[in-house]
Amino acid sequence: MKKLFLLFSLSLFLACNTSAEKETKTNQTTETEKAQDSVGNFGIVIHGGAGTILKENMSDSLENAYKAKLEEAVRTGHEILANGGTAIEAVQRTINIMENSPLFNAGKGAVFTNEGKNELDASIMDGQTLNAGAVSGVTTVKNPINLAWEVMENSEHVMLSGKGAEQFARERDLEIVDPEYFYTENRFKSLERLKERNSEKTELDHDGKTAFVDPFIKDSKFGTVGCAALDKNGNLAAGTSTGGMTNKKWGRIGDAPIIGAGTYANNKTAAISATGWGEFFIRGVVAYDISALMEYKKMSLAEAAKEVIQNKNPDLGGSGGIIAIDHQGNVSMEFNTAGMYRAKMNKSGELEIGIYSKL
Ligand code: ASP
């Protein structure tokens, strides 16, 4: 009887082992197939913010300026990828182009806080290692995305803020500028206009009619910049940089520097960068939600992005959009606002630039 039991246990052990081995092999095959799928393929997609961007409010010269800067940025990243550079490098350098332009709400063109300052946020994530870096509330770092990269690569942390982040930037020899560098007349006027309209809104609030809903935020443009890229080795990366929202107070931080909300990248799924009303993107964990729908529900990037941006985000009361690229090079540029500055380029060098809901 004892012998029989031993024999039975042995065969059970062998059977389990073989099936576990098979399962590991299948998993390995799927991972290898996925990696092979994308080897040699590459692509890049960017945004320069979403919001109430209407053709009737845009002059031809401004529209051309936006298109030219989007093209310069996307081509910069594309060239890096075409020459065998990494997705992370492409994301960082592409974002630098937009950060250095006064057209976008990031770096040079950052919006003003209620106190008339510029407080910048940024984050970057590597889809191969799931390593990430983020900074918030910096006021003297010319290119916050570079500081986010330094946090990822050269510190044991993921997120640094304010004075400490700036000290780290100096220690890493990043370019430091006088806060004056971020002054642009346009953005300052926007702050003044918003303050004026908000004083009218306060009266409405006393009526109890508009409590909790700021009609002027809903009607805003969000000029954050972001980039997602797939490199020739099948690695994904994403990054986002912003000045946040005009008239922000109390050290407010939006979704852009929050890994999982404004930025997320995972080689298993996609690289994603968001723009929009940050509070709702944080509450909806938007970038990670898209990745999770792909990973656990096996949705395609297009299906996942549509579900989150066209259903979940507006249902919560938010607005905005995302750009994303998956491990096969499929791209999504999904938004629920009137427009989103955006551009993409694939392996063959096909370029698409868009501003309004129709390209
Ligand atoms: N998402 C950014 C924030 O809430 C704003 C933007 O997209 O422009 O800070």
Side-chain angles (χ1 to χ4, degrees):
M1 187 65 190
K2 211 174 175 189
K3 263 188 193 163
L4 211 69
F5 177 73
L6 269 176
L7 206 68
F8 174 73
S9 310
L10 189 70
S11 49
L12 197 70
F13 172 76
L14 283 175
C16 287
N17 240 11
T18 334
S19 81
E21 220 170 76
K22 257 191 211 153
E23 199 167 297
T24 324
K25 272 194 188 140
T26 327
N27 283 347
Q28 275 168 358
T29 320
T30 327
E31 287 307 312
T32 322
E33 272 167 10
K34 263 188 201 167
Q36 273 166 1
D37 264 357
S38 52
V39 167
N41 191 13
F42 66 92
I44 183 163
V45 57
I46 62 173
H47 70 76
T52 313
I53 308 165
L54 299 168
K55 177 119 184 117
E56 54 265 35
N57 296 338
M58 182 84 81
S59 68
D60 285 350
S61 65
L62 191 59
E63 186 177 310
N64 290 337
Y66 272 111
K67 284 185 171 165
K69 201 42 88 176
L70 288 167
E71 181 168 347
E72 182 191 339
V74 81
R75 280 193 188 282
T76 301
H78 188 269
E79 201 182 317
I80 291 169
L81 297 169
N83 291 331
T86 63
I88 276 283
E89 193 194 348
V91 163
Q92 196 188 342
R93 296 293 159 228
T94 302
I95 289 181
N96 285 162
I97 304 284
M98 293 187 280
E99 282 179 334
N100 294 344
S101 161
L103 289 174
F104 305 100
N105 170 20
K108 175 68 189 154
V111 297
F112 283 86
T113 66
N114 179 267
E115 289 179 308
K117 293 182 181 160
N118 309 94
E119 293 174 356
L120 312 160
D121 305 328
S123 67
I124 194 161
M125 184 161 184
D126 182 336
Q128 184 186 15
T129 57
L130 302 191
N131 205 355
V135 292
S136 67
V138 294
T139 57
T140 60
V141 179
K142 186 179 177 203
N143 294 107
I145 197 73
N146 296 356
L147 184 54
W149 184 89
E150 289 287 347
V151 173
M152 175 173 78
E153 290 298 323
N154 294 309
S155 86
E156 64 270 39
H157 306 298
V158 170
M159 191 173 197
L160 299 181
S161 72
K163 292 266 172 287
E166 279 167 3
Q167 188 186 329
F168 181 63
R170 284 192 297 275
E171 285 175 21
R172 296 303 310 166
D173 249 346
L174 288 191
E175 192 168 349
I176 303 295
V177 289
D178 189 284
E180 272 294 297
Y181 164 81
F182 298 108
Y183 178 88
T184 53
E185 201 185 332
N186 251 349
R187 298 293 190 205
F188 198 74
K189 280 193 178 148
S190 299
L191 173 67
E192 286 176 332
R193 272 200 307 272
L194 200 59
K195 277 186 167 176
E196 219 166 274
R197 288 198 292 182
N198 272 355
S199 56
E200 291 162 20
K201 178 192 154 260
T202 312
E203 281 165 33
L204 282 176
D205 271 347
H206 287 185
D207 253 11
K209 281 188 184 146
T210 58
F212 307 120
V213 181
D214 184 336
F216 308 119
I217 289 184
K218 260 204 156 329
D219 195 32
S220 289
K221 284 190 220 62
F222 309 105
T224 292
V225 307
C227 177
L230 167 71
D231 67 29
K232 284 183 176 176
N233 289 320
N235 292 321
L236 291 167
T240 312
S241 183
T242 189
M245 288 172 79
T246 306
N247 202 26
K248 63 184 182 182
K249 282 189 200 170
W250 308 306
R252 179 262 187 197
I253 295 166
D255 59 315
I258 310 286
I259 296 299
T263 302
Y264 193 72
N266 185 338
N267 274 10
K268 278 195 209 161
T269 55
I272 303 137
S273 167
T275 171
W277 193 347
E279 279 67 11
F280 292 90
F281 280 70
I282 296 174
R283 290 167 60 198
V285 203
V286 163
Y288 180 73
D289 197 18
I290 293 171
S291 172
L293 286 172
M294 294 175 72
E295 185 174 358
Y296 303 123
K297 274 206 154 180
K298 306 295 168 213
M299 282 190 183
S300 67
L301 171 60
E303 288 165 345
K306 198 166 176 204
E307 170 60 17
V308 173
I309 296 301
Q310 305 304 349
N311 297 330
K312 295 173 95 172
N313 180 257
D315 282 355
L316 206 57
S319 59
I322 58 99
I323 50 97
I325 187 164
D326 73 9
H327 56 86
Q328 293 174 312
N330 299 308
V331 163
S332 166
M333 303 189 289
E334 194 75 45
F335 53 98
N336 57 36
T337 47
M340 180 168 80
Y341 300 107
R342 60 199 185 275
K344 63 174 180 175
M345 251 180 123
N346 62 14
K347 183 183 175 181
S348 324
E350 283 157 359
L351 167 73
E352 201 176 289
I353 303 179
I355 297 181
Y356 315 107
S357 47
K358 297 245 155 43
L359 281 174

